[in-house]
């Protein structure tokens, strides 16, 4: 059903239409259901101008005052939860319970960031010659560019990191899923002073304008490695600060002593969650040959019981692929694997009917050199491969240009932890996979990103270190 609501951008504290609109598609039907405002270059310039004007006063506020407003924002989201959840389900496709969970994660993040301490000044040295201070100084305007898999959550992460550290923020969501972020901006419009938070929407050109704008000091981007490389190149001439959380090809290694059923259950849930559309989803699974058949059997059983459907339907576990382009890519990767000799032990085809639904798929008889193994699929497809010894498993897990996350599964926790230390990734889990929290840094190595989000890196990545060296009077004695 079409949404009657008119969505507006937040610029300078005002809710404004775009100079045009573009259609937003419900992936459960494949049909447009709403119009989003399209930001013009002049409107983007205005958003930056308003943010720049708001920055000095916002940065000068005591931390506790900024945090109080973030806390008030969390309350506003709680008060408007049903409306926000409904919008997210319609534009992204995820089930209602998952959409509500995403917003509960936003509320939790905002409350955490509204209460955590930051050490803005410390004494580096104090002797008879001088006193040396280091202060953390906000950067200015942070542009947050977010993806279509967790649109409001990623926006909230970027907003909270920027605002609590004294920066101002302009959010630009994916054109596939702009509505929940626009609506979040509307809900928060009166929470912060005008210009402190901006939300604009449109195509990739709007993101490019934000990245290349000379008055924007930092870009925080979550999305594909390809797009991250373009952002790095575009930001280069102005030497913008960057945080890039990019693609992954996360490996799960099932050790010889692992509990096959427990490992298969954990891996399946983290491979298929959000219909596989998670940067840190399990995307390759290496199982010791002694446990291979048992693990594959459990994975296939779980896939066969999965319930797909419209996110509003009761009992649905998995929604659609978010957009037609990604849906076609998943179909292409599976067909390529089949043509290369892959065995489909579960799924392997789109769901009949309307929308972008693809059945949870387990593939065997695949190996490196096949696209489904080498590339990031970003969908509900898991290639499962046997290995003979742990050294081989680690070598194969590391043989990728990605390095976002990974997991190791085994009953000997000390051994599993030892193996985890050998895997090249920003985060490696042991006997679990994929959980994140705002108090722990998150980011990738290799081509999976630059920098870290959250944890102790929030202050470091959103401020500059300013050193003040104060000479002491020389003694007259």
């Amino acid at each position: 059903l079409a949404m009657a609501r008119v969505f507006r951008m937040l610029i300078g504290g005002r809710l404004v239409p775009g100079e045009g609109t573009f259609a937003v598609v419900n992936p459960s039907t494949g049909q447009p259901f709403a119009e989003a405002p399209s930001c013009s270059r002049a409107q983007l310039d205005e958003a930056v101008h308003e943010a720049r004007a708001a920055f000095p006063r916002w940065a000068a506020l005591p931390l506790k005052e900024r945090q109080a407003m973030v806390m008030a924002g969390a309350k506003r989201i709680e008060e408007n939860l049903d409306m926000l959840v409904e919008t997210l389900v319609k534009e992204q496709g995820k089930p209602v319970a998952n959409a509500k969970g995403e917003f509960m994660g936003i509320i939790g993040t905002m409350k955490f960031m509204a209460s955590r301490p930051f050490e803005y000044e410390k004494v580096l040295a104090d002797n008879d010659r001088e006193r040396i201070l280091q202060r953390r100084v906000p950067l200015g305007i942070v542009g947050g560019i977010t993806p279509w898999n967790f649109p409001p959550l990623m926006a909230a992460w970027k907003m909270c990191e920027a605002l609590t550290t004294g920066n101002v923020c302009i959010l630009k969501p994916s054109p596939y899923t702009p509505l929940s972020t626009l609506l979040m901006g509307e809900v928060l419009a009166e929470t912060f002073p005008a210009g402190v938070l901006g939300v604009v929407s449109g195509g990739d050109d709007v993101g490019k304008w934000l990245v290349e704008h000379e008055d924007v000091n930092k870009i925080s981007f979550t999305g594909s490695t390809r797009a991250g490389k373009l952002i790095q190149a575009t930001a280069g001439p102005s030497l913008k600060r960057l945080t890039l959380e990019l693609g992954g090809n996360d490996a799960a290694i099932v050790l010889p002593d692992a509990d096959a059923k427990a490992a298969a259950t954990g891996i399946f849930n983290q491979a298929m969650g959000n219909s596989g559309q998670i940067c840190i989803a399990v995307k390759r699974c290496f199982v010791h040959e002694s446990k291979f058949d048992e693990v594959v059997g459990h994975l296939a059983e779980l896939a066969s019981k999965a319930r797909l459907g419209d996110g509003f339907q009761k009992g649905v576990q998995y929604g659609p692929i978010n957009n037609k382009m990604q849906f076609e890519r998943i179909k292409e990767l599976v067909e390529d694997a089949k043509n290369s000799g892959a065995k489909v032990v579960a799924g392997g085809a789109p769901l009949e009917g309307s929308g972008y639904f693809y059945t949870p798929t387990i593939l065997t008889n695949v190996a490196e050199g096949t696209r489904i193994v080498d590339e990031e699929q970003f969908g509900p497809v898991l290639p499962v491969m046997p290995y003979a010894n742990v050294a081989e498993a680690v070598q194969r897990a590391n043989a990728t240009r990605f390095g976002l996350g990974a997991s190791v599964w085994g009953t000997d926790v000390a051994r599993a932890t030892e193996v985890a230390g050998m895997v090249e990734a920003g985060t490696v889990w042991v006997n679990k996979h994929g959980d994140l929290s705002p108090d722990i840094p998150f980011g990738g190595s290799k081509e999976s990103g630059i920098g870290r989000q959250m944890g102790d890196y929030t202050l470091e990545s959103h401020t500059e270190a300013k050193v003040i060296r104060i000479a002491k009077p020389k003694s007259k004695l």
Side-chain angles (χ1 to χ4, degrees):
L1 295 176
M3 294 190 78
R5 172 177 291 275
V6 175
F7 293 91
R8 295 172 293 177
M9 301 184 294
L10 178 61
I11 297 177
R14 303 179 307 278
L15 294 169
V16 300
E19 290 197 359
T21 62
F22 61 96
V24 180
V25 172
N26 181 339
S28 290
T29 65
Q31 298 300 316
F33 75 100
E35 294 286 319
S38 184
C39 182
S40 69
R41 182 66 184 257
Q43 287 180 308
L44 190 278
D45 287 342
E46 182 185 2
V48 173
H49 174 78
E50 294 286 350
R52 178 58 60 193
F55 171 61
R57 284 188 181 180
W58 181 252
L61 285 177
L63 172 63
K64 292 298 183 184
E65 290 188 29
R66 295 197 300 266
Q67 289 181 315
M69 291 185 224
V70 172
M71 184 67 81
K75 184 177 180 181
R76 286 285 295 150
I77 290 175
E78 284 181 301
E79 293 168 348
N80 292 274
L81 187 61
D82 291 345
M83 174 180 66
L84 290 162
V85 167
E86 178 187 3
T87 303
L88 179 58
V89 173
K90 287 184 176 179
E91 69 171 348
Q92 206 284 328
K94 63 187 61 181
V96 168
N98 299 54
K100 185 175 181 180
E102 182 166 344
F103 275 103
M104 295 309 294
I106 290 169
I107 292 165
T109 296
M110 293 179 75
K111 289 182 176 180
F112 171 78
M113 295 296 285
S115 59
R116 67 165 298 180
F118 290 105
E119 187 181 16
Y120 277 93
E121 181 175 305
K122 61 182 178 180
V123 178
L124 300 182
D126 193 358
N127 52 49
D128 58 354
R129 294 180 291 105
E130 63 179 339
R131 178 178 171 85
I132 305 175
L133 306 177
Q134 177 181 282
R135 291 177 180 165
R136 304 301 311 197
V137 181
L139 299 172
I141 300 175
V142 176
I145 303 177
T146 57
W148 43 259
N149 57 341
F150 291 93
L153 179 62
M154 292 297 95
W157 274 33
K158 297 178 191 308
M159 174 188 74
C160 286
E161 287 201 294
L163 300 191
T164 54
T165 52
N167 298 281
V168 292
C169 182
I170 299 173
L171 297 171
K172 192 276 173 187
S174 164
Y176 291 117
T177 54
L179 304 181
S180 53
T181 305
L182 289 166
L183 197 53
M184 195 162 67
E186 182 175 333
V187 166
L188 299 175
E190 297 181 3
T191 303
F192 303 104
V196 169
L197 175 65
V199 183
V200 297
S201 57
D204 292 342
D205 52 348
V206 180
K208 182 175 182 293
W209 297 337
L210 188 62
V211 173
E212 67 187 13
H213 203 293
E214 62 182 13
D215 272 349
V216 174
N217 303 95
K218 175 185 172 71
I219 294 293
S220 179
F221 171 75
T222 300
S224 71
T225 294
R226 179 192 61 81
K229 289 180 178 180
L230 291 173
I231 286 173
Q232 186 178 40
T234 304
S238 60
L239 292 181
K240 276 186 179 58
R241 304 311 187 247
L242 294 175
T243 298
L244 303 176
E245 193 268 282
L246 307 178
N249 196 3
D250 289 21
I253 299 175
V254 181
L255 296 177
D257 69 334
D259 179 323
K261 186 175 182 178
T265 301
I267 289 167
F268 182 86
N269 290 339
Q270 292 303 317
M272 303 300 167
N274 206 38
S275 295
Q277 300 164 112
I278 305 177
C279 57
I280 50 170
V282 177
K283 300 186 175 82
R284 298 174 294 153
C285 184
F286 298 98
V287 184
H288 189 264
E289 56 193 17
S290 66
K291 294 289 176 76
F292 186 77
D293 290 342
E294 189 179 0
V295 168
V296 169
H298 287 305
L299 290 170
E301 181 182 4
L302 290 165
S304 68
K305 294 179 178 178
R307 298 188 297 275
L308 278 70
D310 186 297
F312 289 108
Q313 293 177 358
K314 189 174 181 180
V316 163
Q317 295 172 291
Y318 305 105
I321 303 300
N322 173 256
N323 56 78
K324 184 174 177 60
M325 179 184 70
Q326 186 63 18
F327 180 60
E328 295 297 331
R329 173 173 164 77
I330 294 301
K331 292 195 291 184
E332 178 185 312
L333 288 174
V334 174
E335 289 307 308
D336 176 77
K338 290 178 183 178
N339 293 335
S340 299
K343 178 183 177 182
V344 179
V345 296
L351 200 65
E352 292 185 6
S354 61
Y356 306 137
F357 294 95
Y358 201 93
T359 54
T361 298
I362 306 298
L363 301 176
T364 60
N365 198 35
V366 289
E368 293 79 2
T370 307
R371 290 181 64 195
I372 196 67
V373 176
D374 295 347
E375 300 179 17
E376 179 184 31
Q377 63 270 48
F378 217 70
V381 183
L382 181 64
V384 188
M385 296 162 282
Y387 69 88
N389 59 71
V390 172
E392 175 201 339
V394 171
Q395 185 274 323
R396 293 171 70 185
N398 289 340
T400 174
R401 62 192 177 93
F402 296 105
L404 190 57
S407 56
V408 181
W409 302 76
T411 54
D412 184 340
V413 175
R415 174 57 174 157
T417 303
E418 180 184 12
V419 175
M422 304 175 190
V423 180
E424 298 166 354
T427 302
V428 185
W429 292 269
V430 174
N431 292 327
K432 61 178 182 174
H433 190 111
D435 55 333
L436 302 175
S437 56
D439 57 327
I440 304 298
F442 172 66
S445 59
K446 302 182 184 178
E447 292 189 17
S448 287
I450 296 174
R452 295 291 184 270
Q453 296 183 95
M454 293 298 181
D456 293 339
Y457 284 81
T458 290
L459 186 63
E460 181 178 315
S461 64
H462 286 75
T463 59
E464 296 280 17
K466 182 176 185 177
V467 174
I468 301 176
R469 306 186 70 141
I470 307 159
K472 291 187 176 180
K474 293 181 179 179
S475 173
K476 295 181 180 180
L477 297 177

